[in-house]
Amino acid sequence: MKFTRMLTTKLTSFWLMSLAAIAFVFLLSAIMGFVQLTYKFQQQKVTELESMLIEQYEMQADWELESWLPPMLLAYNAVEFHLTKQGETLFVYQGNVSTRNAMVYSHLLDAKTGLSMVLVLPQPFEHYSISWYEMLILVIGLAAVLALVRFGHIWFSQQLEGIEELAQRSRLILQGKHEQALATPGTGKPRLINRALTKLLEELQDAHKERGRFDKFIRSNTFLDAQTRIGNRLFLNNRLSALSLDQGMLSHGVIYLLELDDLDLLQQTKGEQAVDVLLNSTVEAINQILQSFSNHIFARRSHNQFAIVVPHVSLIEADQLASKLLKVCLSQPLADDVENKHNFYHLGGAYFTAGDNANQLLEEADMALRAAQLQGTSNWFMYDKGSIDEEFSKGSVRWRSFLENALVQRRFFPFSQPIIDSDGVEHHKEIFTRARDNQGALIRATQFIPMANKCGLMPQVERQMIERVLQLLGREQATNQVYSVNLSLDTLLSRAFIQWLKTTLLEYRHLTPKLIFEVSEDIVIQHQDKLRPKLDMIRKMGARLCVDHVGQQVVGTYYIRECHFDMIKLHRSIVRQIHLRPANQLFIRSLIGGLYRTEVKVCAEGVELFEEWQTLKILGVGMAQGRFFSDPIETT
């Protein structure tokens, strides 16, 4: 309430000064009037005495001055009195009153006889003293003035409290904190202005939500199948492109092709509604199975064929997943009169490792699908190249042992890749984690992070990486270098890690502004309520927040405002070949338009071509990273 106190103090001071000036003028006028009346009254006394002396002198020869004049002079508090006639003294009076500044009245009473007098009187206020009654009146007057000033101060404060609330809400609006301004209690005065602000903020919030819904609508119609609400063929191509590099897969996993035979015949015999019910129930059941697998892809390739890609699974897990998928498909209701009811679902899979060609994988999965169809019943078949890496078939026991030893021996190392802005200047560097085995060979994050998540060791890995980044910042304290670090879901939900992070950020609060913490979009969408307090804590400590893999899923973008992210990173599936994909360009335009009037910066990851970077800059993307600028290099 600083503004209210300042304004109230100024108004009260002005009011008090005005009252004091008026009181001073009135008091000065009263004193001057009283002084003038007192002197005039004394003059009247002297005039009356002169008149009495002249009358007595004219009426009788013997004045008998000794009988009546002394008492009168005593009543006048006269100091001295001399009455003379042509230089001859007729009467002399010497009073018992002493004074320093006496008033001397010397008058000629009769010019013919030369009768004159000299009267010495004290000053009118010399022997005057203020009585208790007068003092009481003065005190009551001053108390009334102080009470009036106090009442005015309180009244002004109450009246200006509403203005302070309006000023606070206006300040929040100018700072772009519209949600906080809307949540501020709307009791400010004038109430009409306060209600208008509240209404405008509510309409602005609805507009933002509508913009987010419109953005989601554009993305849905671009990347989603209208009937099943899962990814379409374009979505599948983008995601497969993001999982591969130069047509080589970045990690291991499995790709399935699921085909529903005689779906057209079912539509002709049972109608469109029966097909919709079957497809929706099948898709929902498959989605429930795939929820436990991160970064999976589920898309519709054609009218009766679906594609499922699950990275970071072993061959044994791929076989088990194929059995589950076929089992859940067979559990869907099909009418008894449907022809080939027991030969309706077929699933073909192709297991891949890092470096396999994406297009070849689709061909292998299609061959496996045809092999499953040749069996004559609903079945699945896995394409076997005979060259599956044993590394991924041994389970997680070996990986746990490796990761625990790497943590103890601190064999996780940071690799950094610069993020370049549109002017060609480095904005910050993103930290990637690499591990070294006992022979010193590097292991990519795409290989050990899925295993670390399964073993519950990601919080320790990312804690060790943050410690290394803080050491780098400590050595580079004189520079303006900024680093971004990725945080996983298990890490953010770990109480021990969050407590450690809070303590560490407080300890290194001078380095906190040089940190950016990145969180994946999919975990923010699924766990927004749980993650918001953690993200708010990180932001209040002074670090910045970034959400990456934006565009990987078809979701609204209103969470960017709600979680107060400072930066977003477009997923490489949106960036890849952006100059040749109008649909992806439309998505980026819509996304940037939804972030209008915010300070959120947009970055693109996975830029590999000059044409991609030029197109992104034209679309309004301000930063980018990728092999076009630099490969990740070890940071020591």
Side-chain angles (χ1 to χ4, degrees), residues 474-540:
R475 293 198 299 266
E476 302 172 358
Q477 193 168 357
T479 66
N480 294 324
Q481 184 63 61
V482 179
Y483 290 105
S484 62
V485 184
N486 290 272
L487 296 179
S488 63
L489 176 62
D490 292 343
T491 300
L492 288 171
L493 295 182
S494 172
R495 293 183 179 180
F497 176 86
I498 292 298
Q499 185 61 38
W500 171 85
L501 181 62
K502 184 177 181 180
T503 304
T504 303
L505 293 180
L506 284 174
E507 182 180 357
Y508 294 94
R509 53 183 175 272
H510 60 290
L511 301 178
T512 304
K514 298 182 178 181
L515 286 175
I516 301 175
F517 290 97
E518 297 188 15
V519 187
S520 180
E521 182 189 54
D522 57 341
I523 68 174
V524 174
I525 295 298
Q526 298 177 16
H527 308 276
Q528 184 173 346
D529 294 335
K530 294 181 180 179
L531 297 181
R532 187 179 297 176
K534 281 80 173 177
L535 298 177
D536 288 342
M537 182 274 294
I538 294 175
R539 183 172 53 85
K540 291 177 181 178

Coordinates of all heavy atoms in Angstrom, one line a residue, residues 474-540:
G474 N 30.9 -22.2 -12.4 CA 31.8 -21.6 -11.4 C 33.1 -21.2 -12.0 O 33.7 -20.1 -11.7
R475 N 33.6 -22.0 -13.0 CA 34.9 -21.7 -13.6 C 34.7 -20.6 -14.7 O 35.6 -19.8 -14.9 CB 35.5 -22.9 -14.3 CG 35.9 -24.0 -13.3 CD 36.8 -25.0 -14.0 NE 36.2 -25.7 -15.1 CZ 35.6 -26.8 -15.0 NH1 35.6 -27.5 -13.9 NH2 35.1 -27.4 -16.1
E476 N 33.5 -20.5 -15.2 CA 33.2 -19.5 -16.3 C 32.4 -18.3 -15.7 O 31.6 -17.7 -16.4 CB 32.4 -20.1 -17.4 CG 33.2 -21.3 -18.1 CD 32.3 -22.0 -19.1 OE1 31.1 -21.7 -19.2 OE2 32.8 -23.0 -19.7
Q477 N 32.6 -18.0 -14.4 CA 31.7 -17.0 -13.8 C 31.9 -15.6 -14.4 O 31.0 -14.8 -14.4 CB 32.1 -16.9 -12.3 CG 31.1 -16.2 -11.4 CD 31.4 -16.4 -10.0 OE1 32.2 -17.1 -9.6 NE2 30.6 -15.7 -9.2
A478 N 33.1 -15.3 -15.0 CA 33.3 -14.0 -15.6 C 32.6 -13.9 -16.9 O 32.4 -12.8 -17.4 CB 34.8 -13.8 -15.7
T479 N 32.2 -15.0 -17.5 CA 31.5 -14.9 -18.8 C 30.0 -14.9 -18.6 O 29.5 -15.1 -17.5 CB 31.9 -16.1 -19.7 OG1 31.4 -17.3 -19.1 CG2 33.4 -16.1 -19.8
N480 N 29.3 -14.7 -19.7 CA 27.8 -14.8 -19.7 C 27.2 -16.1 -20.2 O 26.1 -16.1 -20.7 CB 27.2 -13.6 -20.5 CG 27.5 -12.3 -19.9 OD1 27.6 -12.1 -18.7 ND2 27.8 -11.3 -20.7
Q481 N 28.0 -17.2 -20.1 CA 27.6 -18.5 -20.6 C 26.4 -19.0 -19.8 O 26.3 -18.9 -18.6 CB 28.7 -19.5 -20.5 CG 28.4 -20.8 -21.1 CD 28.2 -20.7 -22.6 OE1 29.0 -20.3 -23.3 NE2 27.0 -21.1 -23.0
V482 N 25.4 -19.5 -20.6 CA 24.2 -20.1 -20.0 C 24.1 -21.5 -20.5 O 24.3 -21.8 -21.6 CB 23.0 -19.3 -20.4 CG1 21.7 -19.9 -19.8 CG2 23.1 -17.8 -19.9
Y483 N 23.7 -22.4 -19.6 CA 23.5 -23.8 -19.9 C 22.0 -24.3 -19.6 O 21.4 -23.8 -18.7 CB 24.4 -24.7 -19.1 CG 25.9 -24.6 -19.5 CD1 26.8 -23.9 -18.7 CD2 26.4 -25.2 -20.6 CE1 28.1 -23.8 -19.0 CE2 27.7 -25.1 -21.0 CZ 28.6 -24.4 -20.2 OH 29.9 -24.2 -20.5
S484 N 21.5 -25.2 -20.4 CA 20.2 -25.8 -20.2 C 20.4 -27.2 -19.9 O 21.2 -27.9 -20.5 CB 19.3 -25.6 -21.4 OG 19.8 -26.2 -22.6
V485 N 19.6 -27.7 -18.9 CA 19.7 -29.1 -18.5 C 18.3 -29.7 -18.5 O 17.3 -29.1 -18.2 CB 20.3 -29.2 -17.0 CG1 20.4 -30.6 -16.6 CG2 21.6 -28.4 -16.9
N486 N 18.3 -31.0 -19.0 CA 17.0 -31.7 -19.1 C 16.7 -32.4 -17.8 O 17.6 -32.9 -17.1 CB 17.1 -32.7 -20.2 CG 17.1 -32.1 -21.6 OD1 16.1 -31.8 -22.2 ND2 18.3 -31.8 -22.1
L487 N 15.4 -32.4 -17.5 CA 14.9 -33.1 -16.3 C 13.8 -34.0 -16.7 O 12.9 -33.7 -17.5 CB 14.3 -32.1 -15.3 CG 15.3 -31.0 -14.6 CD1 14.6 -30.1 -13.7 CD2 16.4 -31.8 -13.9
S488 N 13.8 -35.3 -16.2 CA 12.9 -36.3 -16.5 C 11.7 -36.3 -15.5 O 11.8 -35.6 -14.5 CB 13.5 -37.7 -16.5 OG 14.0 -38.0 -15.2
L489 N 10.7 -37.1 -15.8 CA 9.5 -37.1 -14.9 C 9.9 -37.7 -13.5 O 9.5 -37.2 -12.5 CB 8.4 -38.0 -15.6 CG 7.2 -38.2 -14.7 CD1 6.5 -36.9 -14.4 CD2 6.2 -39.2 -15.4
D490 N 10.7 -38.8 -13.5 CA 11.0 -39.4 -12.2 C 11.8 -38.5 -11.4 O 11.7 -38.4 -10.2 CB 11.9 -40.7 -12.5 CG 11.0 -41.8 -13.1 OD1 9.8 -41.7 -13.1 OD2 11.6 -42.8 -13.7
T491 N 12.7 -37.7 -12.0 CA 13.5 -36.7 -11.3 C 12.6 -35.6 -10.7 O 12.8 -35.3 -9.5 CB 14.5 -36.0 -12.2 OG1 15.3 -37.1 -12.8 CG2 15.4 -35.0 -11.5
L492 N 11.7 -35.1 -11.4 CA 10.8 -34.0 -10.9 C 9.9 -34.5 -9.8 O 9.4 -33.7 -9.0 CB 10.0 -33.4 -12.0 CG 10.8 -32.5 -13.0 CD1 10.0 -32.1 -14.2 CD2 11.3 -31.3 -12.3
L493 N 9.5 -35.8 -9.9 CA 8.6 -36.3 -8.8 C 9.3 -36.9 -7.6 O 8.7 -37.3 -6.7 CB 7.7 -37.4 -9.5 CG 6.7 -37.0 -10.6 CD1 5.9 -38.1 -11.0 CD2 5.8 -35.8 -10.1
S494 N 10.7 -36.8 -7.6 CA 11.5 -37.3 -6.5 C 11.6 -36.2 -5.5 O 12.1 -35.2 -5.7 CB 12.9 -37.8 -7.0 OG 13.7 -38.1 -5.9
R495 N 11.0 -36.5 -4.3 CA 11.1 -35.5 -3.2 C 12.5 -35.2 -2.8 O 12.9 -34.1 -2.5 CB 10.3 -36.0 -2.0 CG 8.8 -36.1 -2.2 CD 8.1 -36.5 -0.9 NE 6.7 -36.6 -1.1 CZ 5.8 -37.0 -0.2 NH1 6.3 -37.3 1.0 NH2 4.5 -37.0 -0.4
A496 N 13.4 -36.3 -2.7 CA 14.7 -36.1 -2.3 C 15.5 -35.2 -3.3 O 16.2 -34.3 -2.9 CB 15.4 -37.5 -2.2
F497 N 15.2 -35.4 -4.6 CA 15.9 -34.6 -5.6 C 15.4 -33.1 -5.5 O 16.3 -32.2 -5.6 CB 15.6 -35.2 -7.0 CG 16.2 -34.3 -8.1 CD1 17.5 -34.5 -8.5 CD2 15.5 -33.3 -8.7 CE1 18.1 -33.7 -9.5 CE2 16.0 -32.5 -9.7 CZ 17.3 -32.7 -10.1
I498 N 14.1 -32.9 -5.4 CA 13.6 -31.6 -5.3 C 14.2 -30.8 -4.1 O 14.5 -29.7 -4.2 CB 12.1 -31.6 -5.3 CG1 11.5 -32.1 -6.7 CG2 11.5 -30.2 -5.0 CD1 11.9 -31.2 -7.8
Q499 N 14.3 -31.5 -3.0 CA 14.8 -30.9 -1.8 C 16.3 -30.5 -2.0 O 16.8 -29.5 -1.7 CB 14.7 -31.8 -0.6 CG 15.1 -31.2 0.7 CD 14.3 -30.0 1.1 OE1 13.1 -29.9 0.9 NE2 15.0 -29.0 1.7
W500 N 17.0 -31.5 -2.7 CA 18.4 -31.2 -3.0 C 18.6 -30.0 -3.9 O 19.4 -29.2 -3.8 CB 19.1 -32.5 -3.6 CG 20.5 -32.2 -4.1 CD1 21.6 -32.2 -3.4 CD2 20.8 -31.9 -5.5 NE1 22.7 -31.9 -4.3 CE2 22.2 -31.7 -5.5 CE3 20.0 -31.7 -6.6 CZ2 22.8 -31.4 -6.7 CZ3 20.7 -31.4 -7.8 CH2 22.1 -31.2 -7.8
L501 N 17.7 -30.0 -5.0 CA 17.8 -29.0 -6.0 C 17.5 -27.6 -5.3 O 18.2 -26.6 -5.6 CB 16.8 -29.2 -7.1 CG 16.8 -28.2 -8.2 CD1 18.1 -28.2 -8.9 CD2 15.7 -28.5 -9.2
K502 N 16.5 -27.5 -4.4 CA 16.2 -26.3 -3.8 C 17.4 -25.8 -2.9 O 17.7 -24.6 -3.0 CB 15.0 -26.5 -2.9 CG 14.5 -25.2 -2.2 CD 13.2 -25.5 -1.4 CE 12.7 -24.2 -0.8 NZ 11.4 -24.5 0.0
T503 N 18.0 -26.7 -2.2 CA 19.1 -26.3 -1.4 C 20.3 -25.9 -2.2 O 21.0 -24.9 -1.9 CB 19.6 -27.5 -0.5 OG1 18.4 -27.9 0.3 CG2 20.7 -27.1 0.5
T504 N 20.5 -26.6 -3.3 CA 21.6 -26.3 -4.2 C 21.4 -24.9 -4.9 O 22.4 -24.1 -5.0 CB 21.8 -27.4 -5.3 OG1 22.0 -28.6 -4.6 CG2 23.0 -27.1 -6.2
L505 N 20.2 -24.6 -5.4 CA 20.0 -23.4 -6.0 C 20.1 -22.2 -5.1 O 20.5 -21.1 -5.4 CB 18.6 -23.4 -6.7 CG 18.4 -24.3 -7.9 CD1 17.0 -24.2 -8.4 CD2 19.4 -24.1 -9.0
L506 N 19.7 -22.4 -3.8 CA 19.9 -21.4 -2.8 C 21.4 -21.1 -2.5 O 21.9 -20.0 -2.4 CB 19.2 -21.8 -1.5 CG 17.7 -21.6 -1.5 CD1 17.2 -22.2 -0.2 CD2 17.3 -20.1 -1.6
E507 N 22.2 -22.2 -2.5 CA 23.6 -22.1 -2.3 C 24.3 -21.4 -3.5 O 25.2 -20.6 -3.3 CB 24.2 -23.5 -2.1 CG 25.7 -23.5 -1.8 CD 26.2 -24.9 -1.5 OE1 25.4 -25.8 -1.6 OE2 27.5 -25.0 -1.3
Y508 N 23.9 -21.7 -4.7 CA 24.5 -21.1 -5.9 C 23.5 -20.1 -6.5 O 23.4 -20.1 -7.7 CB 24.8 -22.2 -6.9 CG 25.9 -23.2 -6.4 CD1 25.6 -24.4 -5.8 CD2 27.3 -22.9 -6.6 CE1 26.5 -25.3 -5.4 CE2 28.2 -23.8 -6.2 CZ 27.9 -25.0 -5.5 OH 28.8 -25.8 -5.1
R509 N 22.9 -19.3 -5.7 CA 21.9 -18.4 -6.3 C 22.6 -17.4 -7.2 O 21.9 -16.8 -8.0 CB 21.2 -17.7 -5.1 CG 22.0 -17.0 -4.1 CD 21.2 -16.4 -3.0 NE 21.9 -15.8 -1.9 CZ 22.4 -16.5 -0.9 NH1 22.1 -17.8 -0.8 NH2 23.1 -15.9 0.1
H510 N 23.9 -17.1 -7.1 CA 24.5 -16.2 -8.0 C 24.7 -16.8 -9.4 O 24.9 -16.1 -10.4 CB 25.9 -15.8 -7.5 CG 26.8 -16.9 -7.3 ND1 26.7 -17.8 -6.2 CD2 28.0 -17.2 -7.9 CE1 27.7 -18.7 -6.3 NE2 28.5 -18.4 -7.3
L511 N 24.6 -18.2 -9.5 CA 24.7 -18.9 -10.8 C 23.3 -19.3 -11.3 O 23.3 -19.7 -12.5 CB 25.6 -20.1 -10.6 CG 27.0 -19.8 -10.2 CD1 27.8 -21.2 -10.0 CD2 27.8 -18.9 -11.1
T512 N 22.3 -19.2 -10.5 CA 21.0 -19.7 -10.9 C 20.5 -19.0 -12.2 O 19.9 -19.7 -13.0 CB 20.0 -19.6 -9.7 OG1 20.5 -20.2 -8.6 CG2 18.7 -20.2 -10.1
P513 N 20.6 -17.7 -12.3 CA 20.1 -17.1 -13.6 C 20.8 -17.6 -14.9 O 20.3 -17.4 -15.9 CB 20.4 -15.6 -13.4 CG 20.5 -15.4 -11.9 CD 21.1 -16.7 -11.4
K514 N 21.9 -18.4 -14.7 CA 22.6 -18.9 -15.9 C 22.1 -20.4 -16.2 O 22.7 -21.0 -17.0 CB 24.1 -18.9 -15.7 CG 24.6 -17.5 -15.5 CD 26.1 -17.5 -15.4 CE 26.7 -16.1 -15.2 NZ 28.2 -16.1 -15.1
L515 N 21.0 -20.8 -15.5 CA 20.5 -22.2 -15.7 C 19.2 -22.1 -16.4 O 18.3 -21.3 -16.1 CB 20.4 -22.9 -14.4 CG 21.8 -23.3 -13.7 CD1 21.5 -23.9 -12.4 CD2 22.5 -24.4 -14.6
I516 N 18.9 -23.0 -17.3 CA 17.7 -23.3 -17.9 C 17.3 -24.8 -17.8 O 18.1 -25.6 -18.1 CB 17.7 -22.9 -19.4 CG1 18.0 -21.4 -19.6 CG2 16.3 -23.2 -20.1 CD1 18.2 -21.0 -21.1
F517 N 16.2 -25.1 -17.2 CA 15.8 -26.4 -17.0 C 14.7 -26.8 -18.1 O 13.7 -26.1 -18.2 CB 15.2 -26.7 -15.6 CG 16.3 -26.6 -14.6 CD1 16.5 -25.4 -13.9 CD2 17.1 -27.6 -14.3 CE1 17.5 -25.3 -12.9 CE2 18.1 -27.6 -13.3 CZ 18.3 -26.4 -12.6
E518 N 14.9 -27.9 -18.8 CA 14.1 -28.3 -19.9 C 13.2 -29.5 -19.4 O 13.7 -30.4 -18.8 CB 14.9 -28.7 -21.1 CG 15.6 -27.5 -21.7 CD 16.2 -27.8 -23.1 OE1 15.8 -28.9 -23.6 OE2 17.1 -27.1 -23.5
V519 N 11.9 -29.5 -19.8 CA 11.0 -30.5 -19.4 C 10.3 -30.9 -20.7 O 9.9 -30.0 -21.5 CB 10.0 -30.1 -18.3 CG1 9.2 -31.3 -17.9 CG2 10.7 -29.5 -17.2
S520 N 10.0 -32.2 -20.9 CA 9.4 -32.6 -22.1 C 7.9 -32.3 -22.1 O 7.3 -32.3 -21.0 CB 9.6 -34.2 -22.3 OG 8.9 -34.6 -23.5
E521 N 7.3 -32.0 -23.3 CA 5.9 -31.6 -23.3 C 5.0 -32.7 -22.9 O 4.0 -32.4 -22.2 CB 5.6 -31.2 -24.8 CG 4.2 -30.7 -24.9 CD 3.8 -30.5 -26.4 OE1 3.9 -31.4 -27.2 OE2 3.3 -29.4 -26.7
D522 N 5.3 -33.9 -23.2 CA 4.3 -35.0 -22.9 C 4.2 -35.2 -21.4 O 3.1 -35.4 -20.9 CB 4.8 -36.3 -23.6 CG 6.2 -36.7 -23.2 OD1 6.9 -35.9 -22.7 OD2 6.5 -37.9 -23.3
I523 N 5.3 -35.1 -20.6 CA 5.1 -35.2 -19.2 C 4.4 -34.0 -18.5 O 3.8 -34.1 -17.5 CB 6.5 -35.5 -18.5 CG1 7.4 -34.3 -18.6 CG2 7.1 -36.7 -19.1 CD1 8.7 -34.5 -17.8
V524 N 4.6 -32.8 -19.1 CA 3.9 -31.6 -18.6 C 2.4 -31.8 -18.8 O 1.6 -31.5 -17.9 CB 4.5 -30.4 -19.3 CG1 3.7 -29.2 -18.9 CG2 5.9 -30.2 -19.0
I525 N 2.0 -32.3 -20.0 CA 0.6 -32.4 -20.3 C 0.0 -33.5 -19.3 O -1.1 -33.3 -18.8 CB 0.4 -32.8 -21.7 CG1 0.8 -31.7 -22.7 CG2 -1.1 -33.2 -22.0 CD1 0.1 -30.4 -22.5
Q526 N 0.6 -34.6 -19.1 CA 0.1 -35.7 -18.4 C 0.1 -35.4 -16.9 O -0.7 -36.0 -16.1 CB 0.8 -37.0 -18.7 CG 0.6 -37.4 -20.1 CD 1.4 -38.7 -20.5 OE1 1.8 -39.4 -19.6 NE2 1.6 -39.0 -21.7
H527 N 1.1 -34.7 -16.4 CA 1.3 -34.5 -14.9 C 1.4 -33.0 -14.6 O 2.2 -32.6 -13.7 CB 2.5 -35.2 -14.5 CG 2.6 -36.7 -14.9 ND1 2.0 -37.7 -14.2 CD2 3.2 -37.3 -16.0 CE1 2.2 -38.8 -14.8 NE2 3.0 -38.6 -15.9
Q528 N 0.6 -32.2 -15.2 CA 0.7 -30.7 -15.0 C 0.4 -30.3 -13.6 O 1.2 -29.5 -13.0 CB -0.3 -30.0 -15.9 CG -0.2 -28.5 -15.9 CD -1.0 -27.8 -16.9 OE1 -1.5 -28.5 -17.8 NE2 -1.3 -26.5 -16.8
D529 N -0.6 -30.9 -12.9 CA -0.9 -30.5 -11.6 C 0.2 -30.9 -10.6 O 0.5 -30.1 -9.6 CB -2.2 -31.2 -11.1 CG -3.4 -30.6 -11.9 OD1 -3.3 -29.5 -12.4 OD2 -4.4 -31.4 -12.1
K530 N 0.8 -32.0 -10.8 CA 1.9 -32.5 -9.9 C 3.2 -31.7 -10.1 O 3.9 -31.4 -9.2 CB 2.2 -34.0 -10.1 CG 1.1 -34.9 -9.7 CD 1.4 -36.3 -9.9 CE 0.3 -37.3 -9.5 NZ 0.6 -38.7 -9.8
L531 N 3.4 -31.3 -11.4 CA 4.7 -30.7 -11.7 C 4.7 -29.2 -11.5 O 5.7 -28.5 -11.3 CB 5.1 -30.9 -13.2 CG 5.3 -32.4 -13.6 CD1 5.7 -32.5 -15.0 CD2 6.4 -33.0 -12.7
R532 N 3.5 -28.5 -11.5 CA 3.4 -27.1 -11.4 C 4.1 -26.5 -10.1 O 4.9 -25.6 -10.2 CB 2.0 -26.6 -11.5 CG 1.9 -25.1 -11.6 CD 0.4 -24.6 -11.7 NE -0.2 -25.1 -12.9 CZ -1.5 -25.0 -13.2 NH1 -2.2 -24.3 -12.3 NH2 -2.0 -25.4 -14.3
P533 N 3.9 -27.1 -8.9 CA 4.6 -26.6 -7.8 C 6.2 -26.7 -7.9 O 6.9 -25.8 -7.5 CB 4.1 -27.4 -6.6 CG 2.8 -28.0 -7.1 CD 3.0 -28.2 -8.5
K534 N 6.6 -27.8 -8.5 CA 8.1 -27.9 -8.7 C 8.6 -26.9 -9.7 O 9.7 -26.3 -9.4 CB 8.4 -29.3 -9.2 CG 8.4 -30.4 -8.1 CD 7.1 -30.9 -7.7 CE 7.1 -32.1 -6.8 NZ 5.8 -32.6 -6.4
L535 N 7.9 -26.7 -10.8 CA 8.3 -25.7 -11.8 C 8.3 -24.3 -11.2 O 9.2 -23.5 -11.5 CB 7.5 -25.9 -13.0 CG 7.5 -27.2 -13.7 CD1 6.6 -27.2 -14.9 CD2 8.9 -27.5 -14.2
D536 N 7.3 -24.0 -10.4 CA 7.2 -22.7 -9.8 C 8.3 -22.4 -8.9 O 8.9 -21.3 -8.8 CB 5.9 -22.5 -9.1 CG 4.7 -22.4 -10.0 OD1 4.9 -22.1 -11.2 OD2 3.5 -22.6 -9.6
M537 N 8.7 -23.5 -8.1 CA 9.9 -23.3 -7.2 C 11.2 -23.0 -8.0 O 11.9 -22.1 -7.6 CB 10.0 -24.6 -6.4 CG 11.2 -24.6 -5.4 SD 12.8 -25.0 -6.0 CE 12.5 -26.8 -6.4
I538 N 11.4 -23.7 -9.1 CA 12.6 -23.5 -9.9 C 12.6 -22.1 -10.5 O 13.6 -21.4 -10.4 CB 12.7 -24.6 -11.0 CG1 12.9 -26.0 -10.4 CG2 13.8 -24.2 -12.0 CD1 12.8 -27.1 -11.5
R539 N 11.4 -21.6 -10.9 CA 11.3 -20.3 -11.5 C 11.5 -19.2 -10.5 O 12.2 -18.2 -10.7 CB 9.9 -20.1 -12.2 CG 9.7 -18.8 -12.9 CD 8.4 -18.8 -13.7 NE 7.3 -19.2 -12.8 CZ 6.6 -18.4 -12.0 NH1 7.0 -17.1 -12.0 NH2 5.6 -18.8 -11.3
K540 N 11.0 -19.4 -9.3 CA 11.1 -18.4 -8.2 C 12.6 -18.4 -7.7 O 13.0 -17.3 -7.2 CB 10.2 -18.7 -7.1 CG 8.7 -18.5 -7.4 CD 7.8 -18.9 -6.3 CE 6.3 -18.7 -6.6 NZ 5.4 -19.1 -5.5

